[in-house]
Structures are given as structure tokens and as C-alpha cells.
Amino acid sequence: MIMKNFLKSNKNLIFLILIVLLASFFRLFGLNWDQGQHLHPDERFLTMVVSAFKLPANLPDYLNPKISTMNPYNVGFSFYVYGNFPLNITKIIGEITKNVDYWNIHFIGRRLSAIFDIGVVFLLYLIGKKISDEKASLFSAFLYSIMVLPIQLSHFFAVDTFLNFFIFLSFFFLVSLLNTKYFIPKTILLGISFGFALGSKISALYFLPIIGLGFLFFLKKEIFSREKNKISKIILVSIGGFCFLLTSIFFFRLNQPQAFETGNFLNWEINYQFQKNLKELKSFNDPNSTFPPSIQWKSTTPILFPLKNMILWGLGLPLGGVVALAISFTIYQILKKQKKFSSFKFGGLLALLWIFGLFFYQGIQFCKTMRYFFPIYPFLALLSGNFLNNFFNRIKSKKLKLILMVGLSSILLVYPLSFMHIYTHPITRVSTSKWIYENIPEGSTVTYEEWDDGLPLGLPNYPPLNLKSESLFMYDFDTPEKWQKLNEKLAKVDYYFITSNRAYGSTMKLPDKYPQTTAFYRSLFDGTGNFKKVAEFTSYPCFPPFGDKHLFCFNDDSAEEAFTVYDHPKVMIFSKKGK
């Protein structure tokens, strides 16, 4: 009886714990997904930077960008455009746990990345309760816990999950300002959170207009109020805005001192090197760029390309359909006349503006990679939880409601569970490397496509293999000179290695720029050229995720390059005919 009463009175808390445990499973399972090979290029770079850091002797030394040993510019990295907070906290915990070397510290970063994303699940519960109700908040937390892009990014030591957490925490403090008695303290907390967001990645600035709109609403509310002390409240809102800006800048500087020229907090001159890095980064987002990673974007359609990748792969069907319905329902709710301005109308409107604002801004850019849209995922979950709660509240039959909830949850879980299959076995490049050690003779000449990782990887229990390597640069637009060099190299090659879809996935979509390259890859794949396929290694989201037998798999070869190339690339090996 005591247990029954406890379960009844704490039912929602138990559901929240189960959801957090589910989110933790998805994010913490298989963190050594690349078997210690450092196969994510951005993570590899951050690992090199953080392993080069040394903790300064004191705080003034840390804050002085000229001498700080936690300034990337001072430890051999002149180009650095990420935030410092993820590296700072990883370094500190690495020192505490004695995991500071290149081969171990990235595991600290991966765990922190996962933990911060699990924190978003808890924030969804808090925000959902604040602007809607507890059941809606549980739906929201559950939906975010099973979204695949957050699950994937949680496995990487990068800055994305840190940025996402602090943007959403800033939103929590922003909606907390509505009808609060503690306006100034909460604006300071909002500023601290936003300062940490900026310290995770400077692109947090995109969220600043949403915060500004929130403050404008508070001002408008007080200006048109009928209360006698409205002047004092207008002053209060203005002071709150000032406190927010001051604390944001202070904590950004505390997290990323190298963004400024000196350690003097009275000198706000931006570091020239930092400005130069940001300008260089912006140059990559140029349709005229011939920078190899930029080639993949030349054939993509604004808005439609990121929308397709978000619905099919980042969210997956049918969750993508639920999100689309939720956005439509939220617009209806906000436009519907109400006697009183509700917390949901305030929070929902700001969420919609953020979703549409970031999606359309990033969606029309030249570079429109999936992770640039990641900060809208918690907001999509928030609105979707409210939608599902309203939907199920309209069903009077408890039995039917339970059946539909269980059925929908089961269907929604299929794709994220399938994605876990990727982390249940060695990454394809490791499996391919084992095959190479066991099947390719010593002294053979193999290829290496530049801007991709070469094979074989160094593996335990396998002695180094004496292979000759010819590097092939496929990204130059086709010219007779390009193919004269390539043909000379290909004549020497015994085995052609393709370790991902990076080169052929980009060039074959531009046959006008790469007619001969496209023809070469086609002949390679259909076997009509000088090479025949002798091995192929794939890793797809499959259900059920464990074991060797699956009911079905999701072939995501058509997804954006970055979605597959890091943790489950398709690898192919071709042998020259006659060998």
C-alpha cells in the first residue's frame, strides 16, 4: 500500500527519471565508437588543442591572452573559431582524473558532451511545466531524448551540445522573467547563461534578438499597463537589460579571454587574430569557394536540403511529421484570441520566432550543415510535447489513450534504437583496416583521396604493413592537366581505397564541373573501368540494433555528408583488374 501510494503521488517524477535514463542510454552507449582512432576531424582538432593546454599558475595569467597557456594561439594553433568553455572544463576534469593526454582526454570531452545534452532533457521538463503543464513537459523531454541528431552529436567531443544547452538555459531564464518577483536576479542569471553560450561558440549571438524581443515585450507590457508604479517597473526592466548585457560580456570574457587584446577588463578591444579567424571562417561560406569541404554545398537547394535532412535523418519519420503538425498547432494557438496573455503564448511565440529565424537564415546560406540547425531541436521538442499533450487530452477513453500512447512511443523509438546499431560494432574504417592487413600483400600500391582519412589504421595485434601510397586530389575542377597527373598515379596503383563518400559524393553532383571525374567514379562503381570491387563495409541504422540479423535497415547514403562520414562511413576497396 505504501509503495502504491508513493507511485501514485510521484508518478510524474518516476516518468522523468525513466526519460532521463533513456536519454542517458542513447547518449552514453558506445562512446568509444571509433575504437580510439580519432576519426572525427573537428574532435581531433579540439583534442590536439586541449591536450596542448596547461593550467595557468593563477587567474591573472589565465585572463591575460598574451601569456595564457589555455589560449590556443599560445600553444601552436593560430586558427581557432570555437568557444573555449568546452575545452576549459574538459581540461580541468582531465587534470583531476589524470586523463590529459591526446589518447584519453577526448573521452572526457565526449562524456561531458553527452551530459550537457542530457541536461537539455531536464530543462525541457522545467520549461514545459512553466509555459504549459507537467504532462506536456514529460512529452517534450521524451521526444528530445529520442531525437537522433542530438544523440549523434552527444557522441562527439565538439562544442555543439554545450552551445545548445546554454542557449536553452538562457531561454529558461528568459521565460522565467514573466511575472517574476525577482526580475533583476533572473536577468543576471540569464546573462551568465548567455555568456557561457557565447563562450561555447560565438554563433550564440544568433539568439540575442530573441532575448531582445523578450525584453521589448516586458517594456511594452509595463508601458501599456494601468498600474500606478509603471514608471518604476519600466526602469526596472531597463536596469535588467543592462545587467543582462554586462553579465553576458563579463562571462564571455571569463570563458574566452583570447577574444580580447589584453587581460584588462576595462579594455574591450577585440583581438585582431580572433577577428581574422572569424573572417576566414566566413570566407568558407562562399558559393565561389573552391575549398574542398565547400564543394558539397554547390549542388544543394536552399531550405529544401536542410529540411529534408532534418525530417528524414535528424528527426526521422514519423517524428518529423509530429514536429510539422506541432508547429502548425502552435501557430493556431498563438493566433487564437485569448482573454489573458498566457505563459505559453509568450514562450511559444519566442520559440517559433527562433525556429523559423534560425532555420531560414541558415537554410539560405551556402553552407547548411545539419549541426548548424541543432539549436532549434529542443524548441521543436518543446512545441511537439505541447501538441501531443493537447491531442491526448481530447481523447476521453483512458484505454484508447493508453493504447495510442504506447503505440506512438513504440513507433517513435524504432529509428533511435536502430541508430544504436552503429555503436554496437567496430566502425567501418577499423573493420576495413583488419581486412587490408589480412588480404592485401606487402609492397602493394594503394590510393589515398586527399581530404579524407587514409587506410589502413594502426591496429593492435597487427604489425605495420609495408604499402606504397599515391595521394589523389579529386576536388580540382576537371582539366587535361588534372587527369594527366591522376592517370600517371593510377597506372601505378594496385588497390583503390574509398574511405567515405566525401570526394565522389561531392564531385558527382556537379557533372558540368567534373565530367571526367564523374565518368571515372561511375566506371569504378559499375566495374566497367580498370578496377573491380573486392570489399565493401557499411554501417546503417538497423532494427533490432543488437545482433547480426535485422528486420530492416535505414540506408542513409543520401543524407548530408557529415551525418555519415564521421561515425558510419561507407568504405569500398577496388583491385586493379588482372591483379
Side-chain angles (χ1 to χ4, degrees):
M1 180 63 72
I2 295 173
M3 180 60 69
K4 186 177 180 180
N5 291 335
F6 174 82
L7 292 174
K8 187 175 181 180
S9 59
N10 295 276
K11 184 173 63 174
N12 290 333
L13 176 60
I14 292 169
F15 278 130
L16 176 62
I17 292 171
L18 291 174
I19 290 167
V20 170
L21 288 174
L22 178 68
S24 300
F25 163 72
F26 280 134
R27 286 153 179 79
L28 293 169
F29 178 82
L31 280 185
N32 189 16
W33 51 267
D34 59 350
Q35 293 75 59
Q37 294 290 337
H38 295 279
L39 293 178
H40 188 307
D42 293 339
E43 180 188 76
R44 187 163 56 216
F45 171 74
L46 292 180
T47 304
M48 289 190 290
V49 175
V50 74
S51 58
F53 278 178
K54 297 190 183 304
L55 295 182
N58 50 57
L59 184 61
D61 284 356
Y62 164 74
L63 293 173
N64 187 343
K66 304 295 184 186
I67 63 172
S68 175
T69 50
M70 291 183 75
N71 178 353
Y73 303 150
N74 294 338
V75 293
F77 299 91
S78 59
F79 181 80
Y80 186 83
V81 292
Y82 301 99
N84 263 41
F85 170 75
L87 274 66
N88 293 345
I89 189 172
T90 299
K91 184 66 177 181
I92 291 169
I93 295 177
E95 290 284 353
I96 294 170
T97 59
K98 308 300 182 185
N99 291 289
V100 294
D101 61 280
Y102 177 78
W103 298 105
N104 289 288
I105 197 166
H106 67 297
F107 290 120
I108 302 291
R110 288 182 185 179
R111 290 187 183 97
L112 286 171
S113 180
I115 289 167
F116 272 85
D117 204 55
I118 294 166
V120 173
V121 175
F122 186 67
L123 282 176
L124 273 161
Y125 174 74
L126 297 180
I127 296 174
K129 279 208 310 180
K130 190 172 290 292
I131 70 172
S132 187
D133 64 35
E134 196 160 16
K135 288 183 179 179
S137 69
L138 290 170
F139 277 121
S140 299
F142 169 71
L143 292 176
Y144 186 79
S145 73
I146 64 172
M147 288 181 174
V148 164
L149 184 65
I151 291 170
Q152 184 186 51
L153 295 180
S154 295
H155 282 76
F156 304 151
F157 169 36
V159 302
D160 304 289
T161 56
F162 299 87
L163 169 69
N164 199 39
F165 173 82
F166 285 114
I167 283 180
F168 206 52
L169 182 62
S170 300
F171 182 70
F172 168 73
F173 288 125
L174 184 61
V175 296
S176 298
L177 294 175
L178 191 66
N179 302 320
T180 183
K181 295 179 181 179
Y182 308 102
F183 194 84
I184 297 299
K186 288 191 175 180
T187 58
I188 292 173
L189 290 173
L190 172 61
I192 294 171
S193 175
F194 191 65
F196 273 89
L198 290 170
S200 298
K201 194 177 181 183
I202 196 67
S203 61
L205 283 171
Y206 293 144
F207 194 67
L208 188 58
I210 301 299
I211 296 175
L213 287 172
F215 276 100
L216 285 176
F217 168 77
F218 300 134
L219 276 175
K220 179 185 175 184
K221 181 184 173 187
E222 300 306 334
I223 289 171
F224 292 99
S225 70
R226 297 181 180 180
E227 296 182 17
K228 294 180 181 179
N229 60 343
K230 71 177 181 179
I231 298 298
S232 62
K233 288 193 174 182
I234 292 171
I235 294 172
L236 183 70
V237 173
S238 302
I239 293 173
F242 177 75
C243 289
F244 159 73
L245 289 173
L246 194 63
T247 50
S248 294
I249 296 170
F250 177 84
F251 279 91
F252 168 58
R253 184 158 194 166
L254 195 63
N255 281 294
Q256 195 149 351
Q258 88 268 11
F260 300 87
E261 281 289 349
T262 72
N264 182 358
F265 271 58
L266 298 178
N267 183 347
W268 296 97
E269 185 180 358
I270 303 297
N271 189 331
Y272 172 76
Q273 185 70 24
F274 183 66
Q275 295 181 66
K276 182 181 176 183
N277 286 172
L278 292 179
K279 288 178 182 177
E280 187 175 348
L281 177 66
K282 189 177 179 181
S283 70
F284 300 156
N285 190 27
D286 181 356
N288 298 315
S289 173
T290 55
F291 184 53
S294 298
I295 300 298
Q296 63 180 298
W297 307 114
K298 290 183 180 291
S299 61
T300 56
T301 306
I303 305 300
L304 294 180
F305 178 82
L307 183 64
K308 180 196 77 171
N309 278 279
M310 181 182 292
I311 291 176
L312 293 182
W313 308 117
L315 296 170
L317 294 172
L319 182 52
V322 172
V323 166
L325 290 172
I327 290 175
S328 302
F329 179 72
T330 305
I331 294 172
Y332 162 75
Q333 276 190 305
I334 290 172
L335 294 178
K336 185 173 66 173
K337 290 184 179 180
Q338 296 175 339
K339 293 181 180 180
K340 188 177 179 181
F341 193 88
S342 65
S343 296
F344 179 79
K345 198 163 188 177
F346 173 67
L349 178 60
L350 291 180
L352 275 180
L353 290 173
W354 172 240
I355 290 168
F356 282 114
L358 186 69
F359 180 81
F360 281 99
Y361 173 77
Q362 294 289 9
I364 62 174
Q365 299 299 309
F366 174 64
C367 176
K368 47 190 87 68
T369 188
M370 288 173 69
R371 64 187 174 89
Y372 288 178
F373 301 85
F374 180 41
I376 72 174
Y377 278 67
F379 295 84
L380 295 174
L382 182 68
L383 301 186
S384 299
N386 175 71
F387 164 69
L388 286 182
N389 185 50
N390 275 270
F391 172 77
F392 285 115
N393 281 342
R394 296 172 186 272
I395 300 173
K396 304 302 180 184
S397 170
K398 289 185 178 180
K399 185 176 180 180
L400 177 60
K401 184 185 295 188
L402 180 62
I403 292 172
L404 289 176
M405 281 186 179
V406 172
L408 179 61
S409 299
S410 300
I411 292 170
L412 292 175
L413 278 166
V414 168
Y415 180 46
L417 283 172
S418 300
F419 198 79
M420 288 297 99
H421 174 250
I422 291 168
Y423 305 124
T424 63
H425 56 275
I427 191 170
T428 49
R429 285 174 175 164
V430 167
S431 300
T432 308
S433 296
K434 290 179 180 178
W435 187 94
I436 291 170
Y437 283 118
E438 294 168 0
N439 292 277
I440 292 187
E442 291 265 359
S444 298
T445 301
V446 302
T447 63
Y448 159 56
E449 291 186 330
E450 294 188 36
W451 285 97
D452 210 347
D453 289 355
L455 294 179
L457 302 170
L459 298 178
N461 304 319
Y462 286 93
L465 192 60
N466 181 26
L467 298 175
K468 301 171 186 175
S469 181
E470 290 289 345
S471 65
L472 308 178
F473 191 77
M474 309 300 292
Y475 289 97
D476 283 339
F477 294 151
D478 282 353
T479 61
E481 292 77 18
K482 168 188 171 178
W483 274 97
Q484 181 181 350
K485 292 179 182 177
L486 286 176
N487 285 328
E488 289 173 359
K489 292 185 175 186
L490 288 171
K492 306 173 188 176
V493 167
D494 300 309
Y495 293 90
Y496 195 106
F497 293 173
I498 292 184
T499 62
S500 79
N501 66 345
R502 272 195 177 114
Y504 74 82
S506 298
T507 56
M508 292 184 74
K509 292 174 183 175
L510 298 168
D512 56 325
K513 299 291 185 182
Y514 297 98
Q516 200 166 346
T517 303
T518 300
F520 168 74
Y521 278 125
R522 283 178 179 163
S523 69
L524 194 65
F525 299 149
D526 64 21
T528 58
N530 295 328
F531 294 87
K532 62 179 179 180
K533 187 189 293 184
V534 292
E536 179 176 293
F537 297 84
T538 59
S539 177
Y540 296 118
C542 293
F543 189 85
F546 299 99
D548 297 325
K549 295 182 179 180
H550 311 290
L551 295 175
F552 53 83
C553 293
F554 296 90
N555 186 323
D556 55 8
D557 287 343
S558 63
E560 180 212 322
E561 173 186 299
F563 186 68
T564 62
V565 76
Y566 301 142
D567 57 6
H568 60 291
K570 181 177 182 178
V571 184
M572 294 175 280
I573 296 180
F574 301 83
S575 171
K576 182 167 284 184
K577 292 178 179 178
K579 288 287 181 181

